[in-house]
Structures are given as C-alpha cells and as structure tokens.
Amino acid sequence: MTVTTMPPGPPAPARVIAHRGASASAPENTLAAFRRAHELGARWVEFDVRLTADDRPVVFHDDRLERTTDGSGALADTPLAALGELDAGEWFDPAFAGELVPTLEEVLDLLAEMDMGANIELKPDPGREADVAAISLEVARGLWPETAPPLLVSSFAPESLAVARDLTPQWPRGLLLGALIDGWSDMAAAVDAWSVHCDAALLNARGAAEVLDAGYRVMVYTVNDPGRAANLWDWGVDSIMTDRPEALLPLAGA
Ligand code: G3P
Ligand code: MG
C-alpha cells in the first residue's frame, strides 16, 4: 500500500487547473473562458485580479488594455464604468464579440454556481501590493460560499500574500515564482504558504522534490503538452495550470 506523506491542510486543488479559464478556446479571464473550462470538464480555474482606477477588483491579466480589449491605456488608470464599455472577446475571435472584462464578484458568483474551485492570483501594480490583496479578499470573503473549496490565493508579490495570511487565514496561499530561486523556502515560510507555484519550463525533478520534501504542494504553469504534463506528474507535481484542460484531463486520473 502506498502511504502518502503530504501535510494536512485544505482539500487539494484538481490536478488540472484551467489557466485564465480555458484560454486556448475562449478569450482569457472572461466569463466565457470559465464557462468553457467547465464544459470541458475542468473542476478548477486560475485567474488574475487587478484593481481599476476606482479600486474595483477585476479579472484581467495585463497591466495595459491593448492586447485583450479594444481599449488602450493602463487598467489602473481606467475606472470600472469605462472598462465596461470595452470588448474583451473580439480580439480572440469575432464569435466572442461582446464579452466583457468581468469583475471579481461576477467571476466568483459564476464559479460558485458551477461548483468550481479557484486559484485567485493577486496582480498588484507597483506600490499597490497590500491594496490589491485587501480589497480583493474582502470582496471574495463576502461572497465565496463556506461550503465551496477554499480559494487558493497566489501572488508573485510577498506583500500581497502577507495581507492574505492575515486577512483570510482560512484560505491557503501559493507562493508564485518563476524559477525555484535561492531563498524560496524563507519566502514561503514568511507567508505561511501551502503551495509553491513555478514556471514549468524552469523546474526540474530535483526542484520539485525539494519543495515536496519541505512539505509544500507543487504547482506549475503553463503546460499545454500532455507528454510534458505526464513528466511533471511523475516528478510529484500536484497541479498543472493549462490553457488546454481538454488536452491534459484525459491523463490526469482522478
Ligand atoms: O498563476 C500561474 C500563472 O498564471 C502565473 O503567470 O503571467 O500567467 O499570470 P501569469
Ligand atoms: Mg495568472
């Protein structure tokens, strides 16, 4: 019999997490992408949260509007009402014209309705590390059902994770890194992290083992190739973020 040695803690996220929703087949970080992830069989999604000019948390990846909307300028300089005028789907495919940049509330409501789990990535603009965490997590705390899987809160910004630790200690934290840099374990300990999330292209089997041996879950981004995913799971990686959940789910097992 195999004895697992993972630390106690919240229920593990799914082995396949749809990155920005099913972002290979729908415009990233839109309600359409999260619905598509659900249709494809994913049980968890990852998404990015940023603050608008009027400090409303919205689900959006870039600091600027150009790539994924028909607007221009910095998201942080754009109030929510102006953001609501922009199309966030047509750039991806005209079939998605009319898709909007969703608020955090809209995304969490939809995910709860679909009974999905979520990794919420806090993306601060410089100097707003504490604010994006405090504002977003206050909103999330007010509406995420207690019966739903705990949100996994991740960030590249240790200061955002420190606020998460203090404000929503009931939700696990994921330390986001590129490579597994020297000092990662002090960074993880400082925010009482539950998981460490690395760029899959910069992780090797030894690094994965080092994180697991230290008692953390290991997650990686962004892997769309099933063969590569199989290798990562062989190394003990817990969850893989992918734009193509449909490609990885058949290999993921339970
Ligand atoms: O959370 C994993 C991954 O989303 C981090 O990078 O740039 O895709 O948000 P990015
Ligand atoms: Mg992200």
Side-chain angles (χ1 to χ4, degrees):
M1 189 177 88
T2 305
V3 178
T4 57
T5 54
M6 288 314 297
R15 275 152 66 80
V16 174
I17 300 180
H19 179 243
R20 311 181 197 170
S23 56
S25 50
E28 65 181 56
N29 283 333
T30 63
L31 297 185
F34 302 125
R35 286 197 191 96
R36 182 84 182 123
H38 183 253
E39 284 163 15
L40 292 170
R43 291 187 292 113
W44 273 68
V45 299
E46 182 265 5
F47 59 83
D48 309 290
V49 179
R50 290 181 169 276
L51 295 179
T52 62
D54 43 351
D55 278 349
R56 294 291 305 276
V58 293
V59 173
F60 200 79
H61 180 273
D62 295 1
D63 57 350
R64 295 190 62 84
L65 300 171
E66 285 83 355
R67 184 179 64 88
T68 58
T69 76
D70 58 355
S72 61
L75 176 77
D77 294 337
T78 309
L80 184 64
L83 202 59
E85 302 292 316
L86 303 182
D87 188 298
E90 193 164 16
W91 69 275
F92 183 84
D93 188 307
F96 290 99
E99 206 59 42
L100 302 174
V101 175
T103 63
L104 175 60
E105 290 98 317
E106 288 167 340
V107 169
L108 290 178
D109 280 344
L110 175 65
L111 295 175
E113 190 186 307
M114 297 191 300
D115 201 19
M116 295 184 85
N119 172 194
I120 168 169
E121 183 192 339
L122 303 169
K123 277 216 188 289
D125 283 291
R128 305 299 313 274
E129 290 83 0
D131 295 329
V132 72
I135 294 168
S136 304
L137 295 175
E138 196 60 61
V139 165
R141 190 165 61 169
L143 59 79
W144 190 246
E146 281 181 22
T147 51
L151 293 176
L152 174 58
V153 181
S154 65
S155 187
F156 287 103
E159 195 181 341
S160 298
L161 292 174
V163 171
R165 175 199 60 207
D166 296 342
L167 189 66
T168 51
Q170 72 276 26
W171 291 338
R173 283 157 302 286
L175 174 66
L176 256 169
L177 300 170
L180 194 64
I181 50 175
D182 286 346
W184 72 266
S185 107
D186 289 342
M187 292 171 73
V191 295
D192 192 16
W194 183 75
S195 51
V196 176
H197 305 198
C198 294
D199 183 338
L202 302 175
L203 186 70
N204 57 28
R206 199 173 59 182
E210 185 183 331
V211 176
L212 290 166
D213 287 348
Y216 299 98
R217 302 272 178 169
V218 186
M219 316 232 167
V220 294
Y221 60 91
T222 303
V223 179
N224 296 329
D225 174 61
R228 175 79 178 129
N231 282 343
L232 289 155
W233 279 318
D234 282 347
W235 296 350
V237 163
D238 291 287
S239 297
I240 297 179
M241 307 200 202
T242 179
D243 305 324
R244 299 183 63 226
E246 70 278 21
L248 270 56
L249 280 166
L251 284 79

